[in-house]
Amino acid sequence: MTNLLISLFIKDKDKKLILANYKTSNNTFIVETIFDEAILKSANEEVTITRKD
């Protein structure tokens, strides 16, 4: 099993990326803030997460 280093960035109101802290539990990312858009980045991949109301 390989452990990947994954960074989480949250877009602020000016669309700037801010590095965010997170923790994991049972393959789930836990972020202690509410955001509209975030990006998970690893060395080979980028995933955008968007809040839907």
Side-chain angles (χ1 to χ4, degrees):
M1 180 175 178
T2 303
N3 289 330
L4 294 175
L5 294 177
I6 298 175
S7 298
L8 174 68
F9 296 91
I10 295 176
K11 283 191 179 180
D12 69 6
K13 62 181 179 176
D14 297 323
K15 302 294 183 186
K16 290 190 288 186
L17 295 178
I18 308 297
L19 184 62
N21 292 322
Y22 67 88
K23 53 188 170 185
T24 58
S25 177
N26 298 323
N27 293 324
T28 302
F29 283 79
I30 301 167
V31 182
E32 295 184 3
T33 189
I34 296 173
F35 57 85
D36 292 323
E37 189 171 353
I39 299 173
L40 289 169
K41 290 186 179 184
S42 70
N44 304 327
E45 202 170 354
E46 184 174 300
V47 176
T48 300
I49 303 164
T50 305
R51 178 180 172 188
K52 300 207 183 213
D53 293 326

